[in-house]
Amino acid sequence: MNVVLRAWIRRNLFWFGDVLRGGALLKDYRQISRVLRDEPGTREIRRRMLADVLAYARENVPFYRKHGGAALSDFPVVDKPSILADPDAFILPASRVPGQKGPLHIQSTSGSTGTPFKFPLDTRCRRRRLATLKAVNELVGFHSHLPLMQLRSFALGWQSDATMVWVPDQCILRADNSNLTEEKLAGIVRALDDYDIRFVRGYMTTIGSVADYMVRHGLRPRRRLTFISVGELLQERVRAQVVDGLGCGIVSQYANEESGLLGQSALNGPGGDIELFRANCRFEVLKLDSDEPAGDGELGRVVVTDYINRAMPLIRYDLGDLAVAGRRADDGEVLSLRNLAGRRNDLFYRTDGSVVDMLNNAPYCIYGNLKVRQWQIVQRAAREYVVRVNLQEGATEAAVDCRKAEMQMRAVLGEDADIRFEFVSELPVLSSGKRRLILQEYRPAR
């Protein structure tokens, strides 16, 4: 049977089953789809959801009983450390969560880039996240039950020592992304055609390794694929390899464990420019040193208010990410982000003590160099920086213009910066399966 027809049948059987159970998921999916299209009336829906969660938090959550206010701006900005310091002040038991069925689901972050964080999701929040995933994927043509390859660490994600598993009822091929040898990459690439894959979802660095392998070997998939990059900021080199080298499409999805899917880049567009999904959250970009809105063109902190999760309402939650506000609504609501720069803890210090977003200032002769397989820039001390480079097989150190890279970095960090280059055989993988491009090891005395 044609894979598109098979997917259509399975998709409609899924929705029919949901309707028989009351249609709650379908209702959420339709509302989210309307908001994504910014249809008439959806702004009022979002305003009502914001008012509802603020009222709920003031009435039910101990922390917000003390610190909540009438308007969103009256609420304090909170972050992961402030919640971990007194979690009982933010979390409600299942018996007090409206519409909860059974125990709360405990979600957790890996802590690979900071402190591990465990938090509850209620029944509706989990349902809403599934509906959001389905609606958002359809923006790039990915309808559920079309053949999908998921690239993820088997040991971490699925507690398995296998390297590839086909899940027929979901039409998902799970492929292990740990220790990506040439042999393993060759197997992944063969599977794209063998399983008639249409979409590939994985970390940006993993997608980059697959695309790089295909470009180096002059390979193209039989069908035009769409890659969905998650978990890491999409780099220009990877975007260009997928679009120009493979003739495929790619988007970068912005998400976290606490709030789910937050936004997405335009198809084949820059990975740092994100259209925000406003069906579940309200977004702000605040100044680095105060809780005032960042100005036009000013790098600031991304802060979200979650409309949905009643087990632990997150009001003005600082994600730890940095970006410039893009489009804004008349009431100041941030609708899109520009120059998404990653974590605040990854900011580098120049030699004069000022801060700089090094991710968006990395030398092109490093990140755009096809002879470079992996790279990482580290700040070790106030004036000490290290550039780690893992070269493609057969490439020599002469493939990297270290003098040019050093000059470009000095122009950003300071002329007295001590910059060293290390050529390594591999860059370490974090517990989440990601590889850090920017690593801040220096913490100045306060």
Side-chain angles (χ1 to χ4, degrees):
M1 185 186 295
N2 179 279
V3 295
V4 175
L5 176 60
R6 183 173 62 232
W8 182 87
I9 292 171
R10 287 180 171 175
R11 190 162 55 249
N12 281 277
L13 286 173
F14 173 86
W15 287 122
F16 181 67
D18 177 67
V19 170
L20 292 179
R21 293 186 295 271
L25 181 65
L26 183 59
K27 181 180 178 181
D28 276 331
Y29 163 81
R30 285 175 170 167
Q31 184 191 78
I32 292 164
S33 298
R34 288 185 61 213
V35 174
L36 291 174
R37 294 190 293 265
D38 199 20
E39 291 185 3
T42 55
R43 295 187 183 186
E44 181 55 37
I45 290 173
R46 300 202 319 271
R47 291 190 187 99
R48 187 168 63 249
M49 287 194 293
L50 175 62
D52 288 347
V53 74
L54 296 184
Y56 176 86
R58 284 192 302 265
E59 295 169 9
N60 296 281
V61 181
F63 177 83
Y64 294 117
R65 282 201 203 108
K66 295 180 180 179
H67 303 290
L72 179 63
S73 58
D74 297 328
F75 283 69
V77 175
V78 299
D79 56 14
K80 186 191 300 184
S82 62
I83 294 173
L84 288 173
D86 188 9
D88 290 341
F90 292 88
I91 297 172
L92 294 177
S95 60
R96 295 183 55 197
V97 176
Q100 179 61 26
K101 297 178 181 178
L104 297 167
H105 173 77
I106 303 302
Q107 190 86 351
S108 62
T109 64
S110 66
S112 60
T113 59
T115 306
F117 187 25
K118 294 184 177 181
F119 49 93
L121 302 179
D122 61 40
T123 298
R124 190 190 174 210
C125 182
R126 297 193 73 199
R127 184 181 72 230
R128 186 84 173 185
R129 290 194 179 192
L130 176 58
T132 301
L133 183 64
K134 289 180 177 295
V136 164
N137 284 341
E138 290 180 1
L139 294 176
V140 293
F142 176 33
H143 298 270
S144 55
H145 298 283
L146 286 172
L148 167 73
M149 176 184 282
Q150 284 186 336
L151 296 165
R152 191 177 180 187
S153 169
F154 266 59
L156 297 171
W158 296 301
Q159 292 74 52
S160 168
D161 57 2
T163 58
M164 201 170 292
V165 173
W166 174 250
V167 185
D169 59 325
Q170 299 178 33
C171 284
I172 293 176
L173 180 64
R174 294 174 173 173
D176 182 41
N177 74 342
S178 60
N179 188 25
L180 286 174
T181 62
E182 290 285 291
E183 181 181 2
K184 184 177 280 189
L185 285 167
I188 289 172
V189 171
R190 283 195 303 271
L192 293 173
D193 287 342
D194 291 347
Y195 287 86
D196 203 13
I197 298 299
R198 308 298 177 90
F199 297 85
V200 180
R201 182 181 178 88
Y203 289 134
M204 181 273 299
T205 46
T206 304
I207 290 173
S209 296
V210 173
D212 179 76
Y213 176 89
M214 297 180 76
V215 169
R216 284 190 288 112
H217 290 82
L219 302 174
R220 282 201 173 199
R222 187 173 63 216
R223 294 184 180 277
R224 186 181 186 275
L225 303 171
T226 298
F227 290 83
I228 302 173
S229 175
V230 299
E232 301 166 307
L233 183 65
L234 177 62
Q235 295 294 292
E236 172 58 23
R237 173 190 165 180
V238 175
R239 189 204 66 79
Q241 277 190 318
V242 169
V243 176
D244 302 327
L246 302 182
C248 295
I250 188 167
V251 295
S252 181
Q253 287 187 343
Y254 178 39
N256 69 2
E257 298 290 350
E258 299 96 308
S259 303
L261 277 171
L262 300 170
Q264 183 170 278
S265 68
L267 183 64
N268 300 337
D273 294 349
I274 302 293
E275 184 69 20
L276 295 169
F277 302 144
R278 303 181 292 278
N280 302 322
C281 296
R282 183 181 174 96
F283 297 86
E284 302 174 83
V285 176
L286 305 181
K287 291 180 178 293
L288 296 179
D289 54 2
S290 76
D291 292 341
E292 298 300 314
D296 292 342
E298 180 182 4
L299 189 69
R301 298 171 291 140
V302 182
V303 173
V304 302
T305 294
D306 188 332
Y307 300 147
I308 308 301
N309 189 13
R310 295 301 193 259
M312 190 182 75
L314 292 176
I315 313 295
R316 305 193 84 192
Y317 179 65
D318 188 334
L319 299 179
D321 295 332
L322 301 175
V324 174
R327 295 182 300 109
R328 299 179 192 259
D330 295 341
D331 62 356
E333 179 185 9
V334 176
L335 307 178
S336 65
L337 301 176
R338 294 188 293 109
N339 300 332
L340 184 63
R343 311 294 292 176
R344 185 179 187 183
N345 288 341
D346 289 339
L347 283 178
F348 271 31
Y349 292 90
R350 296 186 178 95
T351 58
D352 64 4
S354 61
V355 296
V356 61
D357 159 29
M358 201 60 209
L359 185 63
N360 285 315
N361 282 283
Y364 181 78
C365 57
I366 299 292
Y367 77 79
N369 191 332
L370 294 180
K371 299 290 186 180
V372 174
R373 180 168 173 257
Q374 300 165 341
W375 60 273
Q376 183 182 71
I377 303 178
V378 186
Q379 181 168 16
R380 289 240 178 106
R383 293 180 173 81
E384 183 182 345
Y385 310 88
V386 176
V387 181
R388 293 175 179 148
V389 178
N390 175 18
L391 294 169
Q392 300 286 4
E393 186 176 354
T396 66
E397 294 181 9
V400 178
D401 190 339
C402 294
R403 185 172 179 274
K404 183 177 182 180
E406 183 176 345
M407 289 176 58
Q408 291 176 350
M409 290 180 64
R410 286 183 189 278
V412 174
L413 297 168
E415 290 300 323
D416 56 342
D418 176 12
I419 300 169
R420 294 187 294 107
F421 290 81
E422 295 178 356
F423 290 87
V424 299
S425 59
E426 186 71 24
L427 289 175
V429 178
L430 302 175
S431 60
S432 62
K434 304 176 187 177
R435 285 185 174 88
R436 298 283 290 278
L437 300 176
I438 302 297
L439 185 59
Q440 176 56 277
E441 295 180 348
Y442 168 62
R443 292 289 180 259
R446 297 292 183 184

